[in-house]
Amino acid sequence: MTQATLSTTTLVIIAFLPLLTATLVGIFGTAIGGRILGNKASHTLTIGGVLVSCVLSVMVLMQVLDGARYDQTLYNWLTIGGLKMEVGFMVDSLTAMMMVVVTSVSLMVHIYTIGYMQGDPGYNRFFSYISLFTFSMLMLVMSNNFMQLFFGWEAVGLVSYLLIGFWYQRPTAIFANMKAFLINRVGDFGFILGIGLLLAYTGTLNYTEFFGKVDTLANQTMPGTGWQIVTVASICLFIGAMGKSAQFPLHAWLPDSMEGPTPISALIHAATMVTAGIFMVSRMSPLFEMSDAALNFILIIGAITAFFMGILGVIQNDIKRVVAYSTLSQLGYMTMALGASAYSVAVFHLMTHAFFKALLFLAAGSVIIGMHHNQDIRWMGNVRKYMPITWITFLIGTLSLIGTPFFSGFYSKESIIEALHFSTLPAAGIAYWAALLSVFVTSLYSFRVYFLVFHGKERYDQNPEPHHDDHHDDHGDGKPHESPWVVTLPLVLLAIPSVVIGYLAVDAMLFGDFFKDAIHVDARHPAMATYADHWVNVFHGATGFALHAVQTMPFWLTVAGFAVAYFLYMMKNNVATSLAKAFAPIITVLENKYYVDWINENIVARGARCLGTGLWKAGDQGLIDGAIVNGSWKVVGGIASVVRKVQTGFIYHYALAMILGVLVMVAWFVWFA
């Protein structure tokens, strides 16, 4: 029986329609093309493009579930000897799921943007950018070769630069987008090195051809080092993922990306840029499975990110930054799952996280709108009275984030902890305890935000230094107000999968055949096999798993986080203030974000500038220009000045030289020959 294939036309439309609409709006909706397209036409065009891509992506997913696959080259861009650089698509269950997540979340963000960016002078430009962002991510996940993967990889980096610095009049926004750009270049350097290594040793950029040759790398080592090729290449690729998916120490750009408008914060953090690294490692699972050293490295990096970045969320007062540090912590969870060879669980958490994190960001943006663009949670309180839809949807997102049983985030997050528990790798024990401690931390900072914003005493009229974004609105009486329907509708639509998608998909995605052709797990790594056995024989499915959770440590750590947050921020006491004073040195370290930014700016950046200056002054001006270029003509001139004196023009001088030469030759043959 021949395997069904997908329509090439359909896939081309899914990928390139957002690019087409982004181009049209970017040209004709801005000053470049004379602003032929107004605001309504621009958002209608871009939303329509993403809507079509979303609907077609869902249809493709349905076909993939029925057994359809696609792996074809559309265009041969360049051939060098036996090396082909192509443009093509590979669509399996992993790709199809990512396509639906990217397009559906992007669609919600597009609709939400109508309300959030209303009145902004860059309205059309913003819609063009976010459609371009969607195209870039689709090209990344749909690619069937490393060259196209790298194109999408760099494209999402470029568009993130444009979006983070969207309000380019702000010095902080310009600093933030440059920071994101430079830090990602560090990761991308490792990424391109990894691709280069694999190309050098396999001779192909095509995924299918590479997977067929990956076993040949097993016993190959780097010349003169003894390092295994698979380990070096895997770590290099993962360094790229560390930049894109904001893993320690290449994480510093992500909190600063909050300088961009809230819709793009949701898109970057939920469905596009930061998930690229997780997707890439999952796609390359046959390679990573061959190196335990690389997997242990991934586990350690994920553990550090999940725990220590989560702690930073506890002290943040900007509502968007709290959610941003939450993203960092959850990305750490996904990374730990990758290290435990639980790729399906990592991707499953990527999916559930996309919905509830987009919901949290957009709900936070709704709060910001309702609070007249104040973002400081210390000056909010009792917002639920004025914004009931935002309140309930934010609560749903929070419950999913902390891993409340039966919510989507519970199934994916708890599955990561179980996979770490069953992993036999040395670093899995450290990662397991980091994950457990992070459960408490996540619950603490999540409910801190929730209580300070939606409950307690109203403080919105007491803010001495309100932090406003670049929007300007009529404050009226200063009271909070519910957001318009174009803002609340995406919240409601995102709240639904935040509740149910985990329960509906957990069996198929983790223990069924959903990823059977897309993800490879070696028999040496039994975590998922052991977990599958427990799922059937101990937990007895999704319902039993949720009911069993009340007996586990993660559940009670979640409850403990809730209780501590309620005690500190809802009960009328000064314990939180007293604790802040008692632990002032630790708070200082946390406020300075473990001094990672200080190290980057004062050591790494200054060191790089000093190195650049040294290479410029000593290398370029001194050595190349001074010694080589100028020195060469000076040497030639010096030699010429000496030689010139030998050329006297007198015949007897030349005759003497000939006689002396003959005597030297005779002496040589007599005494030395």
Side-chain angles (χ1 to χ4, degrees):
M1 182 177 178
T2 307
Q3 188 179 60
T5 188
L6 300 166
S7 167
T8 301
T9 303
T10 301
L11 298 178
V12 169
I13 292 172
I14 292 172
F16 288 96
L17 189 56
L19 174 63
L20 176 62
T21 58
T23 304
L24 292 173
V25 172
I27 295 174
F28 299 108
T30 64
I32 298 173
R35 302 189 186 276
I36 297 173
L37 297 176
N39 289 0
K40 187 175 182 180
S42 295
H43 73 233
T44 302
L45 197 59
T46 51
I47 291 172
V50 175
L51 176 61
V52 171
S53 290
C54 182
V55 172
L56 293 178
S57 294
V58 173
M59 292 172 58
V60 166
L61 178 60
M62 296 297 103
Q63 292 175 280
V64 168
L65 292 176
D66 289 336
R69 294 292 186 272
Y70 189 93
D71 185 8
Q72 294 182 30
T73 297
L74 303 180
Y75 176 66
N76 189 5
W77 179 57
L78 183 66
T79 300
I80 306 174
L83 175 63
K84 294 181 179 179
M85 296 186 181
E86 303 166 330
V87 177
F89 296 144
M90 184 173 81
V91 180
D92 53 15
S93 53
L94 176 60
T95 300
M97 185 276 296
M98 289 295 298
M99 289 164 61
V100 172
V101 170
V102 170
T103 54
S104 59
V105 173
S106 178
L107 178 61
M108 296 298 103
V109 170
H110 274 71
I111 297 171
Y112 178 94
T113 299
I114 297 174
Y116 193 88
M117 297 298 290
Q118 186 177 12
D120 193 285
Y123 186 90
N124 294 349
R125 177 166 58 94
F126 189 82
F127 272 99
S128 176
Y129 286 172
I130 58 177
S131 276
L132 185 60
F133 210 169
T134 306
F135 158 74
S136 302
M137 191 64 189
L138 286 171
M139 289 298 287
L140 189 155
V141 300
M142 294 172 69
S143 64
N144 72 343
N145 61 85
F146 284 105
M147 188 201 74
Q148 192 174 327
L149 171 70
F150 190 73
F151 166 80
W153 194 268
E154 294 302 311
V156 294
L158 170 63
V159 186
S160 72
Y161 172 84
L162 298 173
L163 285 163
I164 294 169
F166 181 79
W167 287 317
Y168 54 82
Q169 301 90 346
R170 283 187 189 176
T172 52
I174 298 303
F175 181 82
N177 72 352
M178 185 60 69
K179 186 176 182 178
F181 189 82
L182 292 176
I183 291 177
N184 272 277
R185 297 293 72 72
V186 175
D188 293 352
F189 181 68
F191 189 57
I192 194 69
L193 283 179
I195 293 175
L197 272 174
L198 297 177
L199 173 61
Y201 282 87
T202 62
T204 183
L205 292 170
N206 184 273
Y207 288 165
T208 304
E209 294 177 6
F210 168 72
F211 293 146
K213 297 180 179 181
V214 71
D215 289 339
T216 62
L217 301 174
N219 299 316
Q220 296 194 54
T221 58
M222 294 281 290
T225 63
W227 299 343
Q228 285 191 313
I229 292 295
V230 290
T231 298
V232 176
S234 296
I235 290 176
C236 284
L237 290 179
F238 181 67
I239 289 172
M242 287 167 62
K244 278 289 179 288
S245 295
Q247 297 297 291
F248 179 88
L250 301 181
H251 68 279
W253 67 270
L254 192 64
D256 286 7
S257 69
M258 297 299 100
E259 290 294 332
T262 298
I264 196 53
S265 300
L267 198 54
I268 289 177
H269 288 232
T272 53
M273 188 168 171
V274 297
T275 62
I278 308 301
F279 167 81
M280 182 274 295
V281 175
S282 300
R283 173 61 76 202
M284 294 296 119
S285 58
L287 174 68
F288 283 87
E289 282 298 282
M290 299 177 67
S291 175
D292 284 4
L295 293 176
N296 279 293
F297 178 71
I298 293 171
L299 279 168
I300 295 297
I301 294 296
I304 293 171
T305 306
F307 179 64
F308 289 101
M309 297 304 110
I311 291 176
L312 292 182
V314 178
I315 67 160
Q316 301 300 314
N317 296 315
D318 186 310
I319 188 171
K320 286 172 62 176
R321 286 185 178 267
V322 178
V323 185
Y325 279 105
S326 165
T327 299
L328 281 172
S329 183
Q330 298 307 304
L331 287 167
Y333 271 95
M334 298 177 209
T335 302
M336 287 190 288
L338 296 173
S341 295
Y343 306 97
S344 57
V345 181
V347 176
F348 182 47
H349 193 51
L350 183 159
M351 180 190 71
T352 61
H353 176 265
F355 293 115
F356 68 71
K357 185 53 56 72
L359 172 60
L360 284 170
F361 264 115
L362 298 187
S366 179
V367 170
I368 294 169
I369 295 173
M371 296 297 298
H372 307 286
H373 301 282
N374 172 46
Q375 298 180 198
D376 196 324
I377 61 175
R378 294 172 297 181
W379 310 110
M380 296 184 183
N382 201 30
V383 173
R384 66 187 177 98
K385 175 182 174 182
Y386 304 96
M387 307 179 70
I389 299 175
T390 302
W391 162 57
I392 195 67
T393 52
F394 190 97
L395 178 59
I396 289 171
T398 299
L399 292 174
S400 191
L401 168 64
I402 66 172
T404 307
F406 292 103
F407 283 74
S408 294
F410 161 77
Y411 288 101
S412 55
K413 192 174 179 180
E414 191 75 12
S415 293
I416 292 173
I417 296 172
E418 292 292 335
L420 292 170
H421 177 65
F422 294 130
S423 176
T424 57
L425 292 173
I430 299 171
Y432 175 71
W433 285 104
L436 285 179
L437 293 172
S438 298
V439 169
F440 170 79
V441 174
T442 302
S443 180
L444 176 59
Y445 67 65
S446 297
F447 280 109
R448 173 177 176 263
V449 171
Y450 174 74
F451 288 139
L452 288 178
V453 174
F454 295 101
H455 294 272
K457 183 182 178 181
E458 296 178 4
R459 301 177 299 277
Y460 56 84
D461 57 346
Q462 303 173 20
N463 189 359
E465 297 179 357
H467 175 73
H468 297 280
D469 60 22
D470 280 6
H471 289 280
H472 302 281
D473 64 344
D474 181 12
H475 286 222
D477 58 3
K479 291 184 178 181
H481 57 82
E482 186 63 274
S483 301
W485 72 267
V486 289
V487 172
T488 55
L489 177 63
L491 300 184
V492 174
L493 294 177
L494 285 168
I496 297 170
S498 297
V499 177
V500 303
I501 195 68
Y503 182 88
L504 297 175
V506 61
D507 267 306
M509 292 185 70
L510 301 193
F511 312 109
D513 295 332
F514 189 82
F515 290 126
K516 67 176 182 179
D517 299 324
I519 289 173
H520 169 74
V521 179
D522 195 90
R524 297 181 297 112
H525 304 132
M528 285 306 296
T530 308
Y531 183 29
D533 181 68
H534 277 68
W535 182 263
V536 174
N537 299 315
V538 178
F539 304 134
H540 307 293
T543 303
F545 186 61
L547 295 173
H548 180 267
V550 298
Q551 309 172 35
T552 63
M553 189 181 300
F555 175 81
W556 291 107
L557 285 171
T558 301
V559 173
F562 168 84
V564 172
Y566 186 86
F567 175 75
L568 292 177
Y569 304 106
M570 287 297 292
M571 299 181 70
K572 294 183 178 180
N573 56 57
N574 295 317
V575 176
T577 305
S578 301
L579 287 173
K581 291 180 179 178
F583 294 98
I586 297 175
I587 299 296
T588 301
V589 173
L590 296 178
E591 287 176 341
N592 285 279
K593 296 173 279 190
Y594 307 116
Y595 295 97
V596 171
D597 281 339
W598 186 91
I599 292 170
N600 285 338
E601 293 169 20
N602 293 280
I603 297 177
V604 178
R606 285 190 179 181
R609 287 197 299 270
C610 288
L611 177 62
T613 303
L615 292 173
W616 168 42
K617 293 288 188 181
D620 188 33
Q621 293 186 341
L623 180 61
I624 297 174
D625 287 344
I628 298 176
V629 177
N630 294 331
S632 60
W633 72 257
K634 288 179 180 179
V635 169
V636 171
I639 295 172
S641 65
V642 174
V643 172
R644 187 167 60 246
K645 293 177 181 179
V646 177
Q647 301 292 332
T648 63
F650 296 110
I651 295 177
Y652 57 83
H653 286 168
Y654 301 149
L656 177 62
M658 292 172 62
I659 292 168
L660 292 174
V662 171
L663 290 174
V664 169
M665 292 181 64
V666 170
W668 172 266
F669 282 105
V670 171
W671 287 311
F672 299 102

